[in-house]
Amino acid sequence: MTFRFAVFDIDGTLVDSRAIITACMDRAFIGAGLAPPGFERTRRVIGLSLGPGLAYLAPDADDALRQSILESYRTAFFDMRQDPAFLSPAYEGADALLRSLLAENWVLGIATGKSRRGLDAMLEQHAWGDLFQAHFCADDGPGKPHPHMVLENMRVVGAQPDQTLVIGDSEHDMAMSVQAGTTAIGVSWGFGTTEEMLAAGAALVTHQMGELEQVLKGYV
């Protein structure tokens, strides 16, 4: 039987977290007396760890101010997550896709820029805790676009690069996949643009969940 391993990003790929992430980032910047970055700037750092992301969003801030923004962001995210109105919904078809892949003996992993606390909360919210055989996040080592998370996913499940596909919505996901020697598949419904992902090395970019399923199952 062919071994097939799919490593998924979370935010913007399986879960629509655009509204809550933008709101939390804006709140953190306003609290620090800075202009909120808004969606268009914030989307460029989704997938990165918070440290490098804030270096891009607040290049003139010193380390102390960036640390303050980081803590404010985490607090805002925790607070908003307690409000059901701000829960990040799974994209339509995401749950069915994951379960369909498992039914066809795929192995699933996660590579996300979220913290471990955030990842655990997301898996619990969507009842996905038992679907993934490996998952690595920003707390586990170098963040995207470094290949660390993909390499660790492969190590845990015993997959080779030519058996592994990385699915994400940003240029950082695609670059991470390329550096790990795996096949990068982009999705256009999240934070990144098709052009950005193709430029970063995506083999292709899909535009609907059904199309993504067809593409993945075409890799045998």
Side-chain angles (χ1 to χ4, degrees):
M1 181 180 297
T2 301
F3 187 96
R4 295 175 295 179
F5 184 37
V7 179
F8 285 89
D9 169 59
I10 293 284
D11 292 314
T13 301
L14 295 175
V15 172
D16 187 359
S17 48
R18 291 172 294 181
I20 189 170
I21 287 177
T22 302
C24 290
M25 194 65 75
D26 284 353
R27 179 184 293 187
F29 270 68
I30 291 170
L34 301 175
F39 175 77
E40 185 55 34
R41 293 191 66 221
T42 297
R43 74 170 186 84
R44 298 301 302 268
V45 305
I46 300 306
L48 298 176
S49 299
L50 277 174
L54 290 177
Y56 171 84
L57 293 175
D60 298 327
D62 60 23
D63 290 344
L65 181 54
R66 285 182 191 162
Q67 184 63 31
S68 175
I69 296 171
L70 185 151
E71 294 301 329
S72 295
Y73 174 83
R74 287 174 172 166
T75 298
F77 208 103
F78 179 81
D79 290 345
M80 285 190 179
R81 205 162 52 216
Q82 311 313 304
D83 182 351
F86 281 96
L87 291 179
S88 301
Y91 285 107
E92 183 176 357
D95 184 82
L97 168 64
L98 296 174
R99 297 181 188 279
S100 176
L101 292 174
L102 286 175
E104 296 192 13
N105 298 308
W106 282 70
V107 178
L108 307 182
I110 291 174
T112 176
K114 301 182 81 65
S115 67
R116 177 58 58 182
R117 182 175 72 175
L119 173 58
D120 288 346
M122 190 71 72
L123 293 176
E124 180 180 3
Q125 177 191 340
H126 296 289
W128 287 345
D130 61 343
L131 303 188
F132 297 93
Q133 284 68 54
H135 35 76
F136 289 85
C137 67
D139 294 340
D140 297 323
K144 303 174 186 179
H146 193 283
H148 173 78
M149 287 190 281
V150 174
L151 295 175
E152 284 296 282
N153 268 277
M154 291 193 293
R155 178 187 62 79
V156 167
V157 305
Q160 298 299 314
D162 62 357
Q163 299 169 315
T164 304
L165 296 98
V166 175
I167 303 95
D169 68 304
S170 76
E171 59 191 297
H172 313 302
D173 297 315
M174 304 300 101
M176 173 181 64
S177 175
V178 169
Q179 291 188 55
T182 61
T183 299
I185 306 295
V187 303
S188 66
W189 51 77
F191 290 93
T193 67
T194 296
E195 294 75 19
E196 289 164 356
M197 287 183 279
L198 289 173
L204 54 90
V205 176
T206 59
H207 305 286
Q208 295 179 335
M209 199 67 70
E211 180 189 2
L212 174 60
E213 182 172 359
Q214 290 179 348
V215 165
L216 293 179
K217 292 182 177 181
Y219 284 87
V220 178

